[in-house]
Structures are given as C-alpha cells and as structure tokens.
Amino acid sequence: MPTRAVPILSGYEVVARLGRGAGAVISLARDLDRNRQVVVKHVVRRGNEDEKFIAQAENEYDVAAAVEHPFLRKCYDIVRVRRWFVTREVLLIMEYVEGELLEEQPPETLPALLTTFRQIAEGLAALHQQGFAHADIKPNNVLIPRTGGVKIIDFGQSCPLGYTKERVQGTPDYIAPEQLHRQPIDQRTDVYNLGATMYRLVTGKWFRTLINLGPATGTRIALESERGNFPPHEVNPTVPLPLSKLIVECCNTQKVERPRDMKEVIARLDVVLHVIERDSALVWRPPGGDGLARR
C-alpha cells in the first residue's frame, strides 16, 4: 500500500489503515522526524452529533499525557484544526503497540491470565494516583503486546475521581451501577469494570448488569438484580474459589462493598497466584475451549 501524507499533518506518513472506532479513523503512520511508528486517531466534526467524539479525543489526550506508566498507552501529541473558531478536526498521535486485544487473544494459562489482571490493576492504580478513573475498562480496551505486559488504551471516557457525568457513558456489558445512575465515579468504578472483565475472561460469559431500555423514554437503562449471575467457579469449575470470590466482590452493585482500590485487588490476586503455585493438582480449563463463548 503506497504511503501518503496524513491530512493536514506534516512530518508523518500513513503506512496502513487500521480501522474505525468511536467516530474516528485509526491509522498506522511513521513519525519521519523520530523514525518511529505511531498510531494516528483522526476525528472529523461533520455535524453536531460528532461533537462528543471531538470531546472524547481531547479528553483522551489530556488524561494520557498526564500519566506515565508502562501499562498505559502513551499519547505523544494532539493537533486541532479550527475553522471559524470551532474545532473541526482532531488528530491524536499515540504510541504504536504491536500485539492483540485481550478480547481476541486472552492468555491460555491461569497464571498468565492472573498476571494480566494484576498488570491491568497496576496500570489503573497509577491512573488513580494521578486523580483519574478510566471508566471504560473491558477486554477491548486492553492490548497484549508481543513483547509482554499490557497496555490499557482509550481514555476517551476517563474523568477525575469523584466526577459526575452529565450523561450515561460506558459499555453495557461492563458498566457499573453508578455510571448508569450518573453518580460520582471513582476508583471503585474501575474495580467494578475490571471485575466484569475478569468474569468475562474466566467464564466466557458476561456479568449481567443491564436488564433493558425503559419503554417509557426509550433511553432509560434499568438495573437488574444480581440474580442470574452465578459465581465464576459455578460457571467454570476450574476457577479457584479465592478468584471467584474476588470477582463477585468486585462486581458488587454496592460500591462500598467492593475492594476499596486497586492495591487491594492486586493483593488479592497475589494470594490467588500463591494458591495455584502451591496446588499442583489444579487444572485450568479456559472458557469456550478455543476462545470466548459468544452470545
């Protein structure tokens, strides 16, 4: 594929189109000055409905540029194109990570999966220390680099700890109750999102947070009780009981009943790792055999 200049962005050449997402075109490009590959997220405001995507791109830069951690994807620069005093385009220049999404290639061994959970929690702890919540942790927002470790991506919905959003934001299969009710978001919101992510990866199923869209308004989202959410060890009997208990507590609808922060989650994951290292009889079976179960 021949290269071409990124629109209105000098010093970069497009190598390949990677895809689309959240109102943006994602491209792999080369930074000609630094001789490195980068990801360029290009958002164009074509109408009022695109304003939220512009805002999310700007928010992603503000958060990612403020926090430095090996498990968080770096954001190098932002370019805004303004016409008539209105931002019409935004281009984010981000770290390129060669690897796969956690949703697509989850680790096949239990120690490796637990290590991945621990690394996600470490990255989130660093984010929290700088005063931000990610607010959209899910397997599709975690990259597994080929060089090892993890990279948490997509800070478009991130916000300061204690912030109350004006509208509901989040991914239905991972969203926390306080996000649905537009209540303050903090580190325990990320604990819930991570818990739902762990539930998904050890059971192959989604933790059921949503019931439906309210018929009266067409937009109201109602919570379902935890009835119907079987503990992970009942869905997949090879899940160690301490891990199952941790996941259930992370997904508690009452924020005060969840682990208080990522440090506690990390300590609990370390206990599980210690348990499985001692138990040579434990046999782990990933959900779905060849991959995650699909609805």
Side-chain angles (χ1 to χ4, degrees), residues 242-253:
L243 177 60
S244 181
K245 184 177 180 182
L246 171 61
I247 293 172
V248 169
E249 290 180 15
C250 287
C251 293
N252 197 302
T253 56

Side-chain angles (χ1 to χ4, degrees), residues 61-283:
Y61 174 76
D62 290 341
V63 174
V67 184
E68 182 78 18
H69 192 274
F71 298 152
L72 304 175
R73 180 158 73 177
K74 299 176 184 177
C75 200
Y76 300 127
D77 200 3
I78 184 170
V79 177
R80 297 176 177 88
V81 181
R82 294 184 173 92
R83 300 186 187 92
W84 297 105
F85 307 104
V86 176
T87 300
R88 298 294 181 180
E89 299 180 53
V90 169
L91 295 103
L92 286 183
I93 316 301
M94 302 181 293
E95 177 184 11
Y96 171 66
V97 180
E98 187 175 3
E100 302 289 342
L101 292 172
L102 180 57
E103 172 83 12
E104 298 169 350
Q105 291 291 333
E108 295 182 357
T109 70
L110 185 55
L113 186 59
L114 290 170
T115 298
T116 295
F117 294 158
R118 193 188 192 285
Q119 291 169 339
I120 296 170
E122 284 186 49
L124 291 173
L127 194 64
H128 298 161
Q129 287 174 357
Q130 294 299 315
F132 297 102
H134 185 281
D136 195 26
I137 284 296
K138 56 186 177 181
N140 273 342
N141 278 342
V142 178
L143 280 168
I144 306 298
R146 294 186 181 178
T147 55
V150 302
K151 286 287 184 180
I152 297 172
I153 64 174
D154 197 349
F155 301 93
Q157 295 185 26
S158 300
C159 63
L161 296 176
Y163 184 74
T164 301
K165 296 192 177 186
E166 295 181 358
R167 59 188 178 90
V168 175
Q169 284 186 314
T171 301
D173 293 310
Y174 305 95
I175 197 168
E178 59 269 22
Q179 292 173 281
L180 291 171
H181 292 302
R182 292 190 294 111
Q183 295 170 344
I185 291 171
D186 60 20
Q187 69 275 9
R188 289 186 176 180
T189 304
D190 282 344
V191 168
Y192 186 101
N193 298 157
L194 177 57
T197 294
M198 293 192 290
Y199 190 93
R200 166 77 172 137
L201 291 170
V202 303
T203 68
K205 301 181 182 299
W206 283 269
F207 190 85
R208 298 172 61 191
T209 304
L210 308 184
I211 182 170
N212 56 33
L213 298 180
T217 64
T219 58
R220 177 178 171 273
I221 302 177
L223 278 176
E224 158 181 313
S225 72
E226 293 185 4
R227 173 176 47 84
N229 287 311
F230 296 101
H233 71 279
E234 294 184 14
V235 180
N236 180 352
T238 66
V239 176
L241 189 58
L243 177 60
S244 181
K245 184 177 180 182
L246 171 61
I247 293 172
V248 169
E249 290 180 15
C250 287
C251 293
N252 197 302
T253 56
Q254 300 300 315
K255 188 190 295 187
V256 296
E257 298 298 328
R258 300 173 203 158
R260 63 183 180 276
D261 55 27
M262 287 299 163
K263 291 182 179 179
E264 183 175 340
V265 172
I266 290 169
R268 299 272 296 274
L269 287 170
D270 284 343
V271 170
V272 181
L273 277 164
H274 183 65
V275 167
I276 64 174
E277 286 172 358
R278 291 187 308 168
D279 189 354
S280 59
L282 191 149
V283 177

